[in-house]
Amino acid sequence: MLRTVSRAVAICDDCGTTASDEEANILVLFDAADAFKTVTKVGGPDGLGPWAVLPAVGLVCHDCHTKRVCAELGHDWYPERPCLCVDGRLRGGCPERSQVCSRCHTVHTTHQRNGGVR
Ligand SMILES: [Zn+2]
Ligand SMILES: [Zn+2]
Ligand SMILES: [Zn+2]
């Protein structure tokens, strides 16, 4: 016998991505409550971080959540370190510095501060 049953997937209300596991397989879950539990658990559905529920937005993926937190509170920078851009690889060291946000992984370099694009 073949029968169609309904299952639940979690979709980010911000970017529209569908929750997937570590191997990028879309997670199809038993029901909405099960899907909710899976994406909001510690580590999230794919080990990269939990999804969150935001008022006025809905259910958002880890990426969108961290970007929104950073947009509101500012980035949470790791200490500056030497820039690892292509310049450095070509000339054996770039004199500029770079900073990575520990939350959303945005990278800022002093190239940008000086008007550059890297
Ligand atoms: Zn998203
Ligand atoms: Zn950030
Ligand atoms: Zn550089």
Side-chain angles (χ1 to χ4, degrees):
M1 173 168 78
L2 294 172
R3 191 158 49 142
T4 305
V5 294
S6 66
R7 290 278 187 266
V9 293
I11 296 168
C12 173
D13 284 318
D14 203 340
C15 70
T17 196
T18 305
S20 51
D21 63 15
E22 289 91 341
E23 270 105 55
N25 298 310
I26 288 188
L27 280 167
V28 180
L29 296 140
F30 181 65
D31 59 15
D34 190 21
F36 183 81
K37 232 191 303 170
T38 302
V39 297
T40 56
K41 72 181 178 206
V42 177
D46 49 11
L48 298 177
W51 289 33
V53 177
L54 299 179
V57 184
L59 184 63
V60 295
C61 71
H62 182 65
D63 256 19
C64 290
H65 185 220
T66 54
K67 276 179 200 142
R68 281 173 179 274
V69 171
C70 284
E72 212 162 288
L73 306 179
H75 293 294
D76 186 12
W77 301 112
Y78 283 125
E80 276 195 350
R81 26 168 228 206
C83 178
L84 300 171
C85 75
V86 64
D87 267 18
R89 254 169 262 148
L90 293 177
R91 294 195 246 124
C94 174
E96 306 287 345
R97 318 277 301 165
S98 77
Q99 262 184 323
V100 181
C101 173
S102 67
R103 202 158 31 218
C104 70
H105 307 292
T106 289
V107 180
H108 272 194
T109 70
T110 48
H111 290 289
Q112 292 158 341
R113 216 175 288 161
N114 300 333
V117 290
R118 271 193 204 109

